[in-house]
Every structure is written in C-alpha cells, then in structure tokens.
C-alpha cells in the first residue's frame, strides 16, 4: 500500500489485518450463497434443454443474441475499470480511482439500458408468457413457456443485483471523492470489487447458458 492509504480500525477488531480478513470472509460467504441461487436457475435451464430441445431452441432463437453479446463485453469492460479503481486505491491515486468508479457505474448503467431495450423488443414480439392479456407467441410449445419464464427470472434477478451494485457504487464514489477517504476506508473498494466481479461472473455464465447453448 502507498503511504497515506489504509484502514481505520474498528474497536471490536484486534488488528487492522483481522478487520480486513473479516470483511473479505463476510463478502465471500454471502457471494457463495448468491452463486448457489443462480446455479439452481442455470441447472434447471440446462435440464430443460435436454428434455425439450426443440421447444427450448424455438424460444432461444427469439432472444436478442447481439444484445447479450454486447452486454457481455460491457460487463467485462466494467470489471476492468473496477480492477483499475482497486489498483488506483492501493497506489493512493484518489482522483483516478473516482474516475474509474464512475466509468464502472456508467458501463453498468449501459448494460441496464440495453437490457431494458431487449425486454421491450420481447414485449413487442409477444415473448412475455406471464402477461395474460398479451398472447404468448409460442403457445404451441408449452415447454418453451417455462424456459422463457426462467430466462426472465434469471436476468431480472441479475439486473436487480446490478442496479443495487450501481447504487452502492455511486454512493461510495461520492464518499470516496472526499479528502482522507483512502486513509480510512481503502478496504471498502477491495470488498466492493468482489461484488462487482461476481455480477460480471454471473452474466458470463448466463450468456452461454441462455443465449448460446440453446441455439
């Protein structure tokens, strides 16, 4: 760590190192539970693909592959900017760190905008089977209805995690811009970086399982 970069010890921890380890362990424990949740959804999608390949293929062909691919690149780039923010925080480059954090939030917001457009396109194509007043386009293939609903559950849950992540990141950026932040809370950037990389990882798993394998 560069001079002037560190962590203000909370009194119930014996050392700063213990405090760092506790924070990292806590975020990893929570991320593992979230990974189990998404893994269950992805496993159901793969099993459904094996049991009803034609129905799932018909549904998957309606997914906007180009949007999924672009969003994959967007989130990978956001992980790069988040990694840059962590590296800048370790070096004590506060202004560069803040800019990298803002770039990360902007890329995450771009992902949500593209996802929103994709949902709108699905609505126009009658690919929302949970809307009773709008007939489902693939009503002749009942198994596809389960896959599409599963797609919405997985992607909207991921979107909720991303929206939450952006909100937290913007709040943290506001605090990180203040003098003395890196001397007291550098570990916040490290811990939050794990959450953002988790969001990226989930989409990297979702894209091939939902968009690619079933085509």
């Amino acid at each position: 760590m560069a001079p002037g970069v560190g962590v203000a010890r909370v009194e119930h921890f014996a050392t700063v190192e213990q405090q760092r380890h506790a924070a990292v362990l806590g975020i990893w424990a929570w991320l593992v539970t979230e990974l189990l949740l998404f893994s269950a959804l992805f496993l159901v999608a793969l099993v459904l693909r094996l049991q009803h390949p034609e129905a799932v293929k018909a549904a998957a062909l309606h997914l906007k592959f180009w949007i999924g691919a672009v969003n994959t690149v967007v989130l990978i780039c956001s992980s790069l900017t988040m990694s840059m923010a962590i590296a800048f925080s370790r070096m004590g480059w506060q202004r560069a760190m803040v800019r990298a954090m803002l770039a990360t939030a902007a890329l995450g917001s771009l992902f949500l905008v593209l996802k929103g457009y994709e949902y709108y396109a699905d609505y126009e194509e009658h690919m929302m089977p949970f809307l009773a007043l709008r007939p489902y386009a693939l009503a002749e293939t009942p198994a596809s209805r389960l896959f599409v609903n599963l797609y919405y559950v997985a992607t909207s849950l991921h979107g909720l995690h991303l929206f939450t992540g952006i909100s937290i990141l913007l709040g943290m950026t506001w605090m990180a811009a203040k003098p003395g932040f890196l001397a007291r809370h550098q570990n916040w950037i490290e811990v939050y970086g794990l959450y953002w990389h988790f969001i990226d990882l989930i989409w990297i798993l979702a894209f091939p399982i939902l968009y690619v394998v079933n085509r």
Side-chain angles (χ1 to χ4, degrees):
M1 294 290 180
V5 176
V7 178
R9 183 178 66 85
V10 180
E11 63 181 26
H12 56 270
F13 289 105
T15 64
V16 168
E17 197 62 27
Q18 183 190 44
Q19 183 173 330
R20 284 182 177 274
H21 287 162
V24 172
L25 178 61
I27 189 67
W28 271 115
W30 181 69
L31 292 180
V32 167
T33 63
E34 293 295 289
L35 183 59
L36 289 174
L37 171 62
F38 281 100
S39 296
L41 295 173
F42 295 152
L43 180 60
V44 173
L46 290 173
V47 170
L48 189 62
R49 169 68 176 86
L50 294 174
Q51 293 183 336
H52 305 280
E54 294 304 319
V56 172
K57 181 179 179 181
L61 289 175
H62 277 267
L63 302 183
K64 308 303 178 287
F65 180 85
W66 72 270
I67 295 180
V70 170
N71 266 343
T72 302
V73 174
V74 167
L75 275 193
I76 290 175
C77 289
S78 75
S79 272
L80 174 61
T81 56
M82 192 64 229
S83 296
M84 292 170 61
I86 294 171
F88 291 147
S89 74
R90 292 172 179 173
M91 293 185 287
W93 297 2
Q94 186 169 353
R95 184 174 297 180
M97 177 194 71
V98 169
R99 289 175 178 174
M101 292 168 71
L102 288 174
T104 303
L107 288 168
S109 299
L110 176 59
F111 179 100
L112 292 179
V113 169
L114 290 171
K115 197 64 194 169
Y117 172 76
E118 184 177 10
Y119 282 168
Y120 174 75
D122 292 337
Y123 174 81
E124 289 293 310
E125 295 178 10
H126 292 252
M127 286 300 293
M128 291 185 168
F130 48 84
L131 296 180
L133 299 180
R134 199 167 180 83
Y136 176 49
L138 300 177
E140 71 280 1
T141 55
S144 70
R145 183 186 298 269
L146 176 58
F147 175 79
V148 173
N149 282 329
L150 189 66
Y151 157 79
Y152 281 115
V153 170
T155 56
S156 60
L157 188 60
H158 174 265
L160 177 61
H161 279 74
L162 182 55
F163 178 79
T164 302
I166 293 170
S167 301
I168 295 172
L169 181 58
L170 289 175
M172 191 182 300
T173 302
W174 177 73
M175 292 186 289
K178 297 180 179 180
F181 175 85
L182 285 178
R184 302 187 305 272
H185 305 300
Q186 189 277 332
N187 66 320
W188 289 9
I189 309 299
E190 303 263 359
V191 171
Y192 178 81
L194 292 174
Y195 175 71
W196 192 268
H197 294 321
F198 167 78
I199 296 174
D200 188 14
L201 172 64
I202 292 301
W203 184 256
I204 289 176
L205 293 174
F207 176 63
I209 292 173
L210 297 176
Y211 290 80
V212 179
V213 173
N214 299 299
R215 300 178 84 89

